[in-house]
Amino acid sequence: METLHREILEGEFDAEGRLPADTKVAERFGVSRMTSRKALATLQNKGLIRIEHGRGAFIETDVLEYRMASRVTFPQNVRANKQLPSRKLIHVENRPADAWVSSCLDLTPGTSVLTVQLIAESNGRPVAFSTNFLDLPRFSGFVEAMGREADVESAMEKFGFCSLWPGTAKVIARMPTEEEAKLLDQSLSRPVVEKKAVEVDENGRPVWCHVTCYAADRMQFVFDGVEPGK
């Protein structure tokens, strides 16, 4: 692990940042495959590499600069980092609004809401997992409006919301659940940043709320200040 760590810092791997397979690492150092896997897992826990199932281990270099408290959308944030944004639809269901959701959306507790779970990616790499809540029947047909690309912004425009404003948000750091770690392709020992937030229209009325779990070591969060006089 120490040797590989030094070699990573000295830039001794290829341009793609791919490390040798665990079998090659085991052969090179004369150890068991289990030992080589432990060494790679330790490097991943330190945030130096990421292990992608079916692809191998890669040096962790790209950190996404992400504006949290502004009107910049996820695709805009990713493109500002010269990367390609994408989303995947994970799950959709109607469920009764709990106390937090009903409070955010000004609904009676137990009112049916559309719940949409998404994975957000940067250059095909998962960076956030979100559970989004929308009022029904106001947003009936929202999932169909997103289309195959899970284009949230286009769907919002179809419902008359060309721009949204950030409302109240709470941010904490915590350890991921097994499901979150799997969806974000990270280990259970690496923390995530959770944001619970509501977004509003130009008149301050709530549009939707969401709980978003970010892969903390892949993001650098930026909180923009308010310009004087605004």
Side-chain angles (χ1 to χ4, degrees):
M1 185 274 291
E2 292 174 352
T3 300
L4 292 172
H5 186 177
R6 186 187 69 251
E7 291 175 349
I8 288 170
L9 297 179
E10 293 175 353
E12 294 191 15
F13 295 100
D14 62 31
E16 191 179 2
R18 185 193 296 269
L19 273 70
D22 54 12
T23 52
K24 294 294 184 183
V25 172
E27 181 180 329
R28 173 185 173 186
F29 292 96
V31 296
S32 68
R33 190 175 182 185
M34 181 177 293
T35 298
S36 68
R37 284 181 173 177
K38 286 182 179 179
L40 293 171
T42 300
L43 291 171
Q44 178 173 247
N45 291 337
K46 289 177 177 290
L48 292 168
I49 67 171
R50 68 182 186 278
I51 298 174
E52 298 184 5
H53 301 297
R55 294 194 64 214
F58 298 83
I59 296 172
E60 196 73 278
T61 55
D62 295 328
V63 176
L64 191 69
E65 187 173 279
Y66 197 88
R67 283 177 155 71
M68 287 277 272
S70 69
R71 292 172 58 193
V72 181
T73 65
F74 171 77
Q76 290 170 337
N77 262 313
V78 174
R79 292 191 184 103
N81 286 263
K82 298 181 179 180
Q83 298 185 32
L84 182 65
S86 59
R87 288 192 182 98
K88 291 179 180 177
L89 180 62
I90 302 299
H91 182 69
V92 178
E93 68 173 316
N94 296 343
R95 69 169 72 163
D98 62 18
W100 178 75
V101 172
S102 58
S103 174
C104 287
L105 300 182
D106 290 337
L107 301 173
T108 301
T111 299
S112 184
V113 292
L114 175 65
T115 305
V116 181
Q117 292 186 319
L118 300 166
I119 284 290
E121 301 173 326
S122 178
N123 280 354
R125 180 179 170 208
V127 293
F129 167 56
S130 64
T131 302
N132 308 277
F133 305 94
L134 301 102
D135 183 17
L136 285 173
R138 183 185 187 187
F139 284 97
S140 179
F142 186 83
V143 173
E144 292 76 13
M146 289 195 302
R148 296 180 62 183
E149 302 300 320
D151 189 335
V152 172
E153 290 71 28
S154 291
M156 281 294 178
E157 288 184 12
K158 292 175 182 177
F159 279 82
F161 300 102
C162 295
S163 184
L164 295 176
W165 279 254
T168 301
K170 294 183 179 180
V171 180
I172 63 169
R174 60 172 175 80
M175 304 310 292
T177 64
E178 288 189 14
E179 179 188 24
E180 290 166 343
K182 181 178 180 180
L183 289 171
L184 293 173
D185 196 18
Q186 68 171 59
S187 71
L188 283 166
S189 62
R190 301 172 78 177
V192 295
V193 170
E194 177 192 274
K195 180 175 77 168
K196 298 180 72 172
V198 58
E199 296 188 39
V200 302
D201 63 18
E202 58 186 3
N203 297 311
R205 293 189 293 263
V207 176
W208 71 340
C209 60
H210 56 88
V211 180
T212 304
C213 177
Y214 299 91
D217 57 355
R218 299 172 196 168
M219 317 286 281
Q220 175 177 284
F221 299 107
V222 178
F223 294 84
D224 295 313
V226 178
E227 293 182 28
K230 293 189 176 181

